[in-house]
Amino acid sequence: MIGKCARGIFGLLAVIAGLGITGGAQAQPIVGIPHDWQVNFPPSYTPLMERVASLNDLLLVIITLICIFVLALLLYAMWRFHAARNPTPTTTTHNTVLEVAWTVVPILILVVIAIPSFRLLYYGDKLAEAPVTIKVVGHQWYWSYEYPDQGNFRIESRILSEADRLKQKPNMPRMLAVDEEMVVPVGTNIRIIGTAADSMHGWTVPGFGIKKTVIPGRINEGWINVTKEGYYFGQCSQICGNNHSYMPIAVKAVAKPEFDKWVEQKKASAGLSPATDLASATAPANR
Ligand SMILES: [Cu+2]
């Protein structure tokens, strides 16, 4: 309702801002990016983020009603029991009905909040079936992505210096552009498993509704299913040392055939399969 409306407006602003940024001949539009004066969540690009946003809308309504109710009680008490209007205060100390009510009603409100919260937690937790699994590894201070189902090749993703960004990828946002994006197919269930090589890091992409703390020696799991082709951005969300703010997350979502082509190129360059003519085919538009 209120949240939805606000999201709609901010979503529209994001699209307008996006148009400004992607004015050039970009093969994939930049969709998942923060924008100036952003207040609410970014638009949702996965089923998980849609549910996160709708739980947020529900909570916003509940919180607003509670705030209005408490404020109204407060104003009424100030007016009704002002010393001039109520010179002899009551000596009442207990009221059983009232005490039961103010215990039971908050419990009911918490239950109403807890049910969708737990459903959302379990929804975002694990996938039974995922045709693609990507292993995300946080390093000081870059990300690496492994594709075990696609021949087990690995790519590394590092921030571009400002000079390199202007030279190689001027359309990409400052501080978020990387040399090599994580590539995912759209409309596909993708299992994300995450760990870290040194300190803890946080793999967070707001548009996907995913925020996984990755920890050395442990595997954390989540999933995404990106609905729209384009570039999405996030940042490490766990303080991890000096260059914590210089290890952005960039994801490129492409159609399935384009993803398969990219996989073949990566496998060929990693020597995992005989080089095919795909290896010499046109490089992706962002390279
Ligand atoms: Cu980090």
Side-chain angles (χ1 to χ4, degrees):
M1 284 161 258
I2 303 166
K4 214 161 222 157
C5 179
R7 267 213 324 284
I9 294 166
F10 287 115
L12 192 66
L13 288 176
V15 169
I16 295 165
L19 288 177
I21 293 164
T22 57
Q26 197 72 50
Q28 305 288 343
I30 293 175
V31 281
I33 185 178
H35 47 88
D36 291 346
W37 301 99
Q38 180 174 326
V39 176
N40 214 321
F41 284 141
S44 314
Y45 297 105
T46 60
L48 177 60
M49 186 57 196
E50 264 162 38
R51 293 187 184 211
V52 169
S54 78
L55 178 66
N56 176 68
D57 290 350
L58 171 72
L59 294 183
L60 192 65
V61 171
I62 294 174
I63 291 166
T64 306
L65 291 177
I66 291 174
C67 287
I68 290 172
F69 176 68
V70 172
L71 183 68
L73 275 186
L74 201 64
L75 292 176
Y76 174 73
M78 286 161 72
W79 171 80
R80 173 68 184 76
F81 301 107
H82 187 271
R85 203 170 281 110
N86 190 46
T88 332
T90 168
T91 51
T92 310
T93 55
H94 287 82
N95 184 317
T96 310
V97 174
L98 202 56
E99 283 166 28
V100 170
W102 74 43
T103 308
V104 171
V105 171
I107 289 173
L108 292 178
I109 294 172
L110 289 179
V111 169
V112 166
I113 293 175
I115 291 169
S117 294
F118 277 103
R119 285 178 67 169
L120 180 62
L121 271 179
Y122 287 109
Y123 182 74
D125 188 35
K126 275 182 173 56
L127 269 185
E129 285 295 321
V132 179
T133 296
I134 302 175
K135 184 178 175 189
V136 172
V137 184
H139 305 259
Q140 283 173 329
W141 287 277
Y142 64 97
W143 295 96
S144 70
Y145 302 106
E146 294 167 29
Y147 291 72
D149 297 335
Q150 276 69 34
N152 210 15
F153 62 87
R154 173 178 185 272
I155 61 169
E156 289 184 358
S157 187
R158 293 164 198 269
I159 190 168
L160 284 179
S161 70
E162 188 56 7
D164 284 345
R165 181 184 73 87
L166 291 172
K167 227 182 295 163
Q168 298 167 23
K169 300 182 177 178
N171 290 335
M172 289 289 156
R174 184 181 158 272
M175 295 287 287
L176 294 174
V178 298
D179 57 352
E180 186 151 34
E181 293 88 9
M182 168 182 170
V183 178
V184 300
V186 288
T188 309
N189 281 346
I190 299 162
R191 179 182 291 123
I192 303 287
I193 53 174
T195 189
D198 31 52
S199 64
M200 283 162 68
H201 300 270
W203 198 79
T204 304
V205 183
F208 295 167
I210 190 168
K211 183 173 194 292
K212 288 287 158 191
T213 300
V214 294
I215 304 163
R218 288 188 59 165
I219 287 278
N220 276 345
E221 190 176 330
W223 66 279
I224 57 174
N225 186 328
V226 187
T227 52
K228 193 171 172 221
E229 287 181 40
Y231 287 95
Y232 299 85
F233 297 92
Q235 285 171 305
C236 180
S237 60
Q238 189 77 35
I239 293 285
C240 59
N242 275 4
N243 290 348
H244 164 63
S245 45
Y246 300 96
M247 50 183 296
I249 296 149
V251 180
K252 183 185 179 188
V254 298
K256 190 78 175 64
E258 202 179 325
F259 175 74
D260 292 338
K261 209 167 110 184
W262 178 80
V263 165
E264 288 309 316
Q265 283 172 357
K266 286 294 151 192
K267 276 164 73 175
S269 61
L272 291 167
S273 62
T276 62
D277 53 346
L278 280 170
S280 55
T282 322
N286 68 315
R287 299 303 311 275

